[in-house]
């Protein structure tokens, strides 16, 4: 019966020549670019860093797949677009994935199965997960050759729909659906991930925001004691507890802030004057800024506020920010605060193009573990994009485009006694770039 699968089948003729096909190509893979990711991972040591946080509880006599190997294999699959846990069964015998974790492509044993990986995802305790999350902050710091003078921490949450009875899931009226709202933290200038935290589907409280910032910034300051840190976030994070802690620790901040009757009264005259100006000038849109100080009754001090006022044919729109920074109102709002808009692209890469919203496990620990693995895959793809030369059309490409052009490349693998030969397509449109990246990462890897 196995030989029957090798029988050829026909396709329509081409140029009057008969076309037949059969699944007899031998050791072939559609993911040759995973070998690039292997070199990147060797350079970063992400799998080793995460594996050191997890205690091995299995009997050593029966271990066929180490924790580090399974983590590495799972991260490579996510980066290659095979994020579903069931995909690991389909790729158990793939020669490139076997090579990526250090096994011979033909003579090596098959990779781990889906049930084995599922047990790994459900194995970490809360303490071990905490260590892994801090290890990802360490990964962020170690990605710099020298301590930077300043960094920007962009923090935001994103909608993650829940389709079962997962723990921590809550109904959110804004999205009209049960969901998680995991918090993402990136470095605003480089797009490097800092921390991803699974949490219930509700707006974070001030104490929660303060706790998250305290742990992340304390870890960063452990590496860089003198680095200047700016925290940016929308009105969900403009909480008194978070601002007070930042002020005590010498951390700058700029947060969005929701309106209230007192704020509306402070800028009422400015808003009315702006509406009159737009009506008399006939302009489609008129914008102005106002800087002032304001303190709520529950606060211990007044803080610097900026109001952005805008009048259009549809009416007026007013936004507020609160900040510890000095400068003109226009600069603080349009340049400093609005710069956080780039974070939406970072979240899209993490969530939509690496499928980090596949948090379908019942146990929140397993879902947090998955979020960490997807963050590790983000690191690999981010490093590949950063290594692309500026003159290349892929210099600013999204992860999905990089995957299509550089990862999903067919290859024939032939294992000999002393050498493994990988034959790539002669007509590969990105052959020169692929060769450049392979040489670059091979030169810097261990």
């Amino acid at each position: 019966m196995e030989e029957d699968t090798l029988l050829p089948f026909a396709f329509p003729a081409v140029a009057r020549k008969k076309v037949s096909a059969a699944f007899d190509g031998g050791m072939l893979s559609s993911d040759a670019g995973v070998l690039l990711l292997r070199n990147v991972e060797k350079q970063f040591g992400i799998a080793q860093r995460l594996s050191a946080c997890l205690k091995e509880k299995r009997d050593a006599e029966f271990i066929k797949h180490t924790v580090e190997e399974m983590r590495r294999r799972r991260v490579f699959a996510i980066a290659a677009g095979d994020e579903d846990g069931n995909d690991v069964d389909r790729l158990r015998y793939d020669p490139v994935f076997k090579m990526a974790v250090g096994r011979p492509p033909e003579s090596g044993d098959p990779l781990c199965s889906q049930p084995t990986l599922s047990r790994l995802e459900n194995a970490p305790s809360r303490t071990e997960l905490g260590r892994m999350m801090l290890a990802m902050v360490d990964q962020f710091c170690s990605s710099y050759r020298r301590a930077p003078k300043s960094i920007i921490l962009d923090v935001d949450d994103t909608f993650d729909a829940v389709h079962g009875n997962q723990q921590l899931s809550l109904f959110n009226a804004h999205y009209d659906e049960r969901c998680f709202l995991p918090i993402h933290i990136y470095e605003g200038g480089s797009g490097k991930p800092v921390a991803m935290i699974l949490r219930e589907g509700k707006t974070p409280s001030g104490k929660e925001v303060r706790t998250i910032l305290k742990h992340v910034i304390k870890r960063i300051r452990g590496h860089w004691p003198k680095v200047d840190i700016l925290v940016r976030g929308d009105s969900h994070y403009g909480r008194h507890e978070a601002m007070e802690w930042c002020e005590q620790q010498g951390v700058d901040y700029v947060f969005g802030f929701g309106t209230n009757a007192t704020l509306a009264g402070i800028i009422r005259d400015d808003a009315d004057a702006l509406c009159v100006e737009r009506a008399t000038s006939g302009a489609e849109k008129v914008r102005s800024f106002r800087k002032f100080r304001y303190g709520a009754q529950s606060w211990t001090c007044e803080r610097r506020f900026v109001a952005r006022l805008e009048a259009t044919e549809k009416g007026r729109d007013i936004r507020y920010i609160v900040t510890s920074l000095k400068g003109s109102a226009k600069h603080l709002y349009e340049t400093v605060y609005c710069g956080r808009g780039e974070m939406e692209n970072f979240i899209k890469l993490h969530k939509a193009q690496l499928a980090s919203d596949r948090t379908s496990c019942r146990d929140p620990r397993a879902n947090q573990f998955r979020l960490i693995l997807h963050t590790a895959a983000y690191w690999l793809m981010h490093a590949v994009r950063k290594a692309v030369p500026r003159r290349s059309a892929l210099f600013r490409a999204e992860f999905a485009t990089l995957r299509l052009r550089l990862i999903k490349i067919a290859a024939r693998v032939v294992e000999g006694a002393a050498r493994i030969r990988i034959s790539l397509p002669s007509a590969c449109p990105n052959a020169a770039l692929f060769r450049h990246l392979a040489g670059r990462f091979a030169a810097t890897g261990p």
Side-chain angles (χ1 to χ4, degrees):
M1 293 299 294
E2 293 180 358
E3 294 181 356
D4 291 342
T5 63
L6 302 180
L7 295 177
F9 50 93
F11 281 103
V14 176
R16 298 184 179 181
K17 295 184 179 181
K18 183 179 179 181
V19 178
S20 61
F23 290 100
D24 57 359
M27 300 292 290
L28 297 175
S29 175
S30 62
D31 299 284
V34 169
L35 295 178
L36 287 180
L37 301 179
R38 174 178 182 261
N39 288 349
V40 178
E41 198 282 325
K42 286 178 64 179
Q43 176 183 345
F44 284 0
I46 300 177
Q48 183 178 6
R49 187 188 299 273
L50 292 176
S51 298
C53 303
L54 185 61
K55 183 179 180 181
E56 180 61 82
K57 303 173 184 177
R58 299 175 295 173
D59 191 330
E61 295 184 3
F62 300 98
I63 294 178
K64 295 183 178 179
H65 311 279
T66 65
V67 171
E68 185 175 336
E69 176 191 302
M70 289 190 288
R71 288 176 184 269
R72 187 176 288 117
R73 185 268 178 95
R74 184 76 164 101
V75 170
F76 291 155
I78 292 171
D82 298 300
E83 69 281 347
D84 196 305
N86 293 323
D87 291 333
V88 299
D89 279 335
R90 179 174 57 83
L91 298 171
R92 289 190 69 192
Y93 301 92
D94 187 284
V96 168
F97 275 95
K98 290 171 70 175
M99 293 171 62
V101 298
R103 299 197 175 200
E106 187 172 2
S107 61
D109 293 332
L111 300 176
C112 65
S113 63
Q114 180 271 329
T116 302
L117 262 181
S118 293
R119 287 191 290 270
L120 173 67
E121 291 180 352
N122 287 272
S125 65
R126 291 173 60 92
T127 300
E128 290 169 330
L129 282 173
R131 292 172 184 165
M132 284 188 280
M133 293 165 69
L134 292 177
M136 296 309 293
V137 180
D138 295 337
Q139 176 63 45
F140 162 73
C141 295
S142 65
S143 67
Y144 291 82
R145 293 184 178 179
R146 61 180 63 90
K149 183 178 180 180
S150 62
I151 60 173
I152 301 173
L153 297 182
D154 283 332
V155 54
D156 201 358
D157 50 68
T158 183
F159 171 74
D160 183 356
V162 173
H163 303 291
N165 295 318
Q166 289 96 321
Q167 298 176 27
L168 292 186
S169 66
L170 293 177
F171 180 82
N172 189 291
H174 177 74
Y175 298 103
D176 195 28
E177 197 169 353
R178 293 185 67 88
C179 65
F180 300 130
L181 285 179
I183 288 179
H184 288 229
I185 303 178
Y186 299 86
E187 202 287 311
S190 62
K192 295 180 179 180
V194 180
M196 312 295 154
I197 304 162
L198 186 77
R199 51 179 303 280
E200 58 270 25
K202 65 177 183 179
T203 302
S205 66
K207 291 183 179 179
E208 183 179 2
V209 174
R210 179 183 61 191
T211 300
I212 291 173
L213 292 179
K214 180 175 66 175
H215 285 291
V216 171
I217 293 176
K218 179 181 178 181
R219 196 73 173 191
I220 293 175
R221 285 269 170 84
H223 292 270
W224 306 324
K226 298 181 180 180
V227 67
D228 293 329
I229 300 176
L230 171 64
V231 180
R232 293 191 301 198
D234 62 15
S235 58
H236 289 173
Y237 301 90
R239 308 288 184 164
H240 168 62
E241 295 88 346
M243 292 184 285
E244 186 175 49
W245 183 86
C246 287
E247 291 162 353
Q248 293 172 353
Q249 301 299 317
V251 176
D252 286 316
Y253 60 84
V254 54
F255 294 120
F257 200 86
T259 187
N260 57 44
T262 303
L263 291 175
I266 292 174
I267 54 89
R268 180 176 294 111
D269 293 341
D270 299 84
D272 292 342
L274 190 68
C275 292
V276 173
E277 179 184 347
R278 192 212 66 82
T280 55
S281 64
E284 292 185 5
K285 181 173 68 174
V286 178
R287 173 179 286 193
S288 68
F289 299 88
R290 165 83 183 277
K291 186 164 65 173
F292 58 93
R293 299 190 69 86
Y294 164 76
Q297 292 183 357
S298 59
W299 296 2
T300 57
C301 64
E302 291 187 341
R303 295 186 170 97
R304 186 177 294 109
F305 272 72
V306 171
R308 189 272 288 157
L309 302 92
E310 190 173 271
T312 66
E313 296 178 353
K314 296 182 179 180
R316 64 185 185 185
D317 180 61
I318 303 173
R319 302 292 176 88
Y320 303 94
I321 63 171
V322 56
T323 180
S324 63
L325 299 173
K326 297 180 180 179
S328 68
K330 182 177 182 181
H331 173 77
L332 290 174
Y333 186 88
E334 290 189 337
T335 303
V336 180
Y337 177 72
C338 291
R340 62 174 294 275
E342 184 65 20
M343 185 182 181
E344 298 296 333
N345 293 326
F346 304 152
I347 293 178
K348 181 180 71 172
L349 295 175
H350 196 287
K351 175 183 172 181
Q353 299 191 15
L354 292 177
S356 64
D357 58 348
R358 298 295 294 271
T359 49
S360 55
C361 297
R362 179 180 293 272
D363 193 333
R365 293 177 299 176
N367 288 324
Q368 177 63 66
F369 183 81
R370 285 188 175 185
L371 205 56
I372 294 172
L373 294 179
H374 284 267
T375 304
Y378 184 106
W379 270 111
L380 300 186
M381 297 300 291
H382 182 274
V384 170
R385 184 173 66 175
K386 185 178 180 181
V388 173
R390 286 182 174 271
R391 63 181 180 275
S392 173
L394 299 180
F395 175 64
R396 297 186 181 277
E398 294 185 336
F399 290 174
T401 303
L402 291 176
R403 180 189 297 135
L404 180 63
R405 301 289 186 86
L406 298 175
I407 308 301
K408 294 295 185 181
I409 298 178
R412 179 189 295 274
V413 181
V414 178
E415 180 185 349
R419 177 182 297 182
I420 298 174
R421 174 76 179 185
I422 302 174
S423 299
L424 301 172
S426 301
C428 178
N430 297 288
L433 178 58
F434 191 94
R435 183 190 296 270
H436 167 79
L437 295 174
R440 176 167 181 176
F441 290 122
T444 57

